[in-house]
Amino acid sequence: DSGVTQTPKHLITATGQRVTLRCSPRSGDLSVYWYQQSLDQGLQFLIQYYNGEERAKGNILERFSAQQFPDLHSELNLSSLELGDSALYFCASSDSGSLYIQYFGAGTRLSVL
Amino acid sequence: GESVGLHLPTLSVQEGDNSIINCAYSNSASDYFIWYKQESGKGPQFIIDIRSNMDKRQGQRVTVLLNKTVKHLSLQIAATQPGDSAVYFCAENMGLPGTALIFGKGTTLSVSS
């Protein structure tokens, strides 16, 4: 168990809908990262937050957004969903003592029908 | 663009054999590399890491080798066990600590007994 908790584990929705994925980092970790994993693209970095502020952006679509709350949990919002958004979404966290090592949650599997 | 990649998408070995999983990277400025193991239905799990000022690092049954001259790293697993069956990813950090990881596409290791 990495200590990173993601909910829900599975999400099935329809095109055009909006969903929210939730992540609780390891206790004390200030950095949260979101990644998307699809069969043909591997693990792709989406966005990073550090102590409530956006730190870096990767290949994140404008339809997607995220935030990190004062209690350090994070949410990834996906809107106007398309079939191609079906993927595994992972959250990872890292601490100030080992900022390179990222610990991953079990992921949320999103299926857009 | 710059990316981390793996030479082989799949590797099949017998239980007890030593496994070698390879990874090539393109950015000579990368200063940190991590190997992750991802089992079916789970998130990536940290295995071992290495900094660019080292060429070898050993863990429990695993060794990572870094050859900066040819921009190549490898993960060696000694006495491979069925529980080692998973997808293995190398990842690199190209910036400051706490920045996103760039992942290769992964090698699926299958261990038969």
Side-chain angles (χ1 to χ4, degrees), chain B:
Chain B
E2 297 161 340
S3 65
V4 177
L6 290 169
H7 293 302
L8 292 174
T10 61
L11 177 64
S12 296
V13 301
Q14 293 284 323
E15 182 179 1
D17 288 351
N18 295 332
S19 302
I20 300 176
I21 301 172
N22 296 305
C23 176
Y25 64 96
S26 58
N27 189 347
S28 56
S30 294
D31 63 357
Y32 185 72
F33 304 88
I34 301 180
W35 282 99
Y36 282 92
K37 171 187 180 183
Q38 186 176 18
E39 297 175 278
S40 180
K42 298 183 179 180
Q45 176 187 359
F46 170 80
I47 302 174
I48 192 168
D49 58 354
I50 189 167
R51 293 186 183 276
S52 60
N53 61 353
M54 304 170 67
D55 53 20
K56 181 179 179 178
R57 190 165 189 214
Q58 287 184 291
Q60 187 176 14
R61 282 202 306 119
V62 294
T63 300
V64 56
L65 299 177
L66 176 63
N67 185 330
K68 294 180 287 294
T69 302
V70 294
K71 295 197 286 261
H72 177 272
L73 69 157
S74 66
L75 176 70
Q76 300 179 0
I77 305 173
T80 313
Q81 303 168 359
D84 295 326
S85 295
V87 181
Y88 290 81
F89 294 94
C90 64
E92 67 181 292
N93 186 299
M94 296 168 62
L96 296 171
T99 56
L101 293 169
I102 296 177
F103 284 82
K105 288 193 180 296
T107 290
T108 300
L109 175 65
S110 298
V111 183
S112 53
S113 52

Side-chain angles (χ1 to χ4, degrees), chain A residues 58-92:
Chain A
N59 300 321
I60 187 166
L61 300 171
E62 287 191 8
R63 300 184 285 107
F64 296 180
S65 64
Q67 53 185 329
Q68 186 179 28
F69 296 86
D71 66 353
L72 301 177
H73 91 271
S74 178
E75 292 181 355
L76 179 66
N77 300 296
L78 313 176
S79 62
S80 302
L81 285 167
E82 302 175 358
L83 295 177
D85 297 327
S86 295
L88 277 165
Y89 292 85
F90 287 102
C91 168

Side-chain angles (χ1 to χ4, degrees), chain A residues 25-77:
Chain A
R26 296 187 320 156
S27 177
D29 285 1
L30 299 179
S31 279
V32 170
Y33 313 77
W34 287 97
Y35 291 84
Q36 179 191 59
Q37 185 177 38
S38 56
L39 282 175
D40 58 343
Q41 292 293 323
L43 274 156
Q44 299 284 319
F45 168 67
L46 296 177
I47 196 165
Q48 178 203 358
Y49 279 81
Y50 178 81
N51 201 22
E53 295 191 1
E54 183 183 302
R55 169 70 66 90
K57 265 187 175 181
N59 300 321
I60 187 166
L61 300 171
E62 287 191 8
R63 300 184 285 107
F64 296 180
S65 64
Q67 53 185 329
Q68 186 179 28
F69 296 86
D71 66 353
L72 301 177
H73 91 271
S74 178
E75 292 181 355
L76 179 66
N77 300 296

